[in-house]
Amino acid sequence: MYQDDEPAEPLLDSVSVRNRHNETQEIDVSVVESGETRFSETYTVDPGSQILEESPVGSPGCYLVRVVATDGEQEIDTTEHIDGDERCVFVRFEIGSSGGFSPPSIISYQEC
């Protein structure tokens, strides 16, 4: 149970990257906590496809999720997006049809 004065730490349940661009993308996904890389993987994602990485880290933490592709990069701090008791998070990134990233979305829920 969390004390009122303790910061809530989310559990990163999964990360998804969808490629809506008409070209194959090399995508680097990393999860960083306190400057230390906890997860790092490179994927080749065909047009119209997506990757889904389930449970990239095994414990709750203050995670920064970063995705780097040919046309840019995007990152999201999971601690900014938890909602009350909903500490499990799913992060979704999307490369648009003309390249570049759409705004990321994050979904929080109670049970992982």
Side-chain angles (χ1 to χ4, degrees), residues 17-30:
V17 183
R18 177 175 295 282
N19 180 14
R20 295 196 181 276
H21 197 275
N22 61 1
E23 296 178 6
T24 299
Q25 299 283 316
E26 291 292 319
I27 299 173
D28 295 320
V29 177
S30 60

Side-chain angles (χ1 to χ4, degrees), residues 1-71:
M1 194 76 187
Y2 289 96
Q3 299 295 324
D4 289 339
D5 58 347
E6 289 181 16
E9 292 187 341
L11 177 60
L12 183 58
D13 190 41
S14 55
V15 176
S16 169
V17 183
R18 177 175 295 282
N19 180 14
R20 295 196 181 276
H21 197 275
N22 61 1
E23 296 178 6
T24 299
Q25 299 283 316
E26 291 292 319
I27 299 173
D28 295 320
V29 177
S30 60
V31 179
V32 177
E33 180 183 33
S34 301
E36 179 183 335
T37 301
R38 299 281 310 272
F39 174 86
S40 180
E41 192 71 45
T42 300
Y43 304 90
T44 301
V45 185
D46 292 328
S49 297
Q50 73 175 6
I51 60 102
L52 176 64
E53 186 64 50
E54 296 179 341
S55 302
V57 291
S59 60
C62 298
Y63 298 120
L64 180 68
V65 182
R66 180 177 295 127
V67 176
V68 179
T70 307
D71 293 337

Side-chain angles (χ1 to χ4, degrees), residues 63-110:
Y63 298 120
L64 180 68
V65 182
R66 180 177 295 127
V67 176
V68 179
T70 307
D71 293 337
E73 66 181 76
Q74 196 168 62
E75 62 185 27
I76 192 165
D77 182 344
T78 58
T79 57
E80 295 176 2
H81 298 278
I82 56 174
D83 185 16
D85 289 336
E86 296 182 343
R87 291 194 169 91
C88 295
V89 294
F90 167 63
V91 182
R92 182 179 316 158
F93 296 93
E94 186 173 289
I95 299 170
S97 59
S98 59
F101 284 97
S102 301
S105 62
I106 189 164
I107 301 166
S108 65
Y109 39 94
Q110 288 184 333

